[in-house]
């Protein structure tokens, strides 16, 4: 039997358009389940859903990139407890889900798993090999959660 780690979750919604659609795609119990499946240790994680302006400002200030991105991970500690903020930009997530033919919930699940892995030190930008290893891990976790391969 798979033993899941403990998760203390703060789920926050900024001022976003169509907030009801995003809240419906992110029921707290499912967000906890998705993130816990990606954890290798106990964690304290804040998930914040933001609008494009907030997402763009954070990406510019912390990554020196001008556009809003789908998910930003701010990892603070990895041991003994993972502490991190995952910031997801609602309009970007919604647009990508439509472009990729996924439901909003499927895309949020993938991005939360992706962000949780980043919070634990996984990285796909260091090399092609690291990207393949991280993608494979995401696919395995999502399959356990009942989701199709997102790639």
């Amino acid at each position: 039997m798979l033993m899941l780690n403990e998760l203390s979750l703060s789920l926050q919604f900024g001022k976003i358009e169509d907030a009801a659609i995003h809240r419906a795609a992110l029921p707290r119990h499912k967000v906890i389940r998705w993130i816990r499946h990606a954890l290798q240790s106990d964690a304290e994680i804040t998930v914040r859903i933001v609008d494009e302006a907030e997402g763009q400002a954070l990406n510019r200030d912390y990554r020196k990139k001008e556009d809003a991105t789908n998910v930003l991970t701010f990892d603070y500690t990895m041991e003994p407890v993972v502490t991190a903020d995952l910031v997801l930009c609602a309009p970007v997530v919604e647009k990508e889900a439509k472009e990729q033919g996924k439901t909003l919930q499927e895309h949020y699940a993938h991005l939360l798993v992706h962000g949780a892995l980043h919070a634990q030190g996984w990285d796909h930008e260091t090399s092609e090999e690291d990207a393949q290893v991280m993608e494979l891990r995401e696919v395995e976790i999502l399959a356990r959660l009942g989701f199709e391969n997102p790639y």
Side-chain angles (χ1 to χ4, degrees):
M1 181 174 171
L2 181 66
M3 292 297 298
L4 296 176
N5 289 290
E6 291 298 314
L7 171 64
S8 173
L9 174 72
S10 174
L11 181 57
Q12 305 172 357
F13 291 84
K15 292 186 177 172
I16 57 174
E17 283 187 40
D18 303 323
I21 294 168
H22 295 274
R23 285 181 184 275
L26 291 162
R28 182 179 179 78
H29 70 282
K30 288 190 178 181
V31 171
I32 289 170
R33 183 170 178 261
W34 301 333
I35 293 173
R36 282 182 72 201
H37 271 76
L39 293 176
Q40 295 168 287
S41 64
D42 293 345
E44 297 172 4
I45 295 179
T46 297
V47 173
R48 181 165 171 80
I49 311 304
V50 302
D51 65 7
E52 195 148 3
E54 187 174 346
Q56 184 176 11
L58 289 168
N59 204 25
R60 180 187 62 240
D61 294 350
Y62 292 96
R63 295 182 67 227
K64 309 296 182 229
K65 298 192 177 184
E66 283 304 313
D67 296 330
T69 189
N70 52 19
V71 61
L72 291 168
T73 301
F74 298 93
D75 55 328
Y76 307 114
T77 64
M78 291 185 199
E79 293 178 0
V81 174
V82 172
T83 56
D85 294 336
L86 306 180
V87 180
L88 292 94
C89 184
V92 174
V93 174
E94 189 172 0
K95 178 177 176 256
E96 288 178 350
K98 285 179 184 162
E99 290 172 355
Q100 297 171 21
K102 298 179 188 173
T103 67
L104 189 57
Q105 189 168 78
E106 287 170 328
H107 200 36
Y108 270 125
H110 176 215
L111 293 173
L112 287 167
V113 166
H114 182 86
L117 290 176
H118 271 308
Q120 298 170 94
W122 293 74
D123 196 342
H124 56 86
E125 295 181 345
T126 47
S127 72
E128 184 59 37
E129 183 182 351
D130 287 346
Q132 290 174 355
V133 169
M134 186 169 174
E135 284 181 14
L136 179 61
R137 182 75 178 130
E138 290 172 26
V139 170
E140 291 170 348
I141 292 166
L142 290 165
R144 281 201 320 262
L145 291 166
F147 291 105
E148 298 284 321
N149 182 334
Y151 293 104

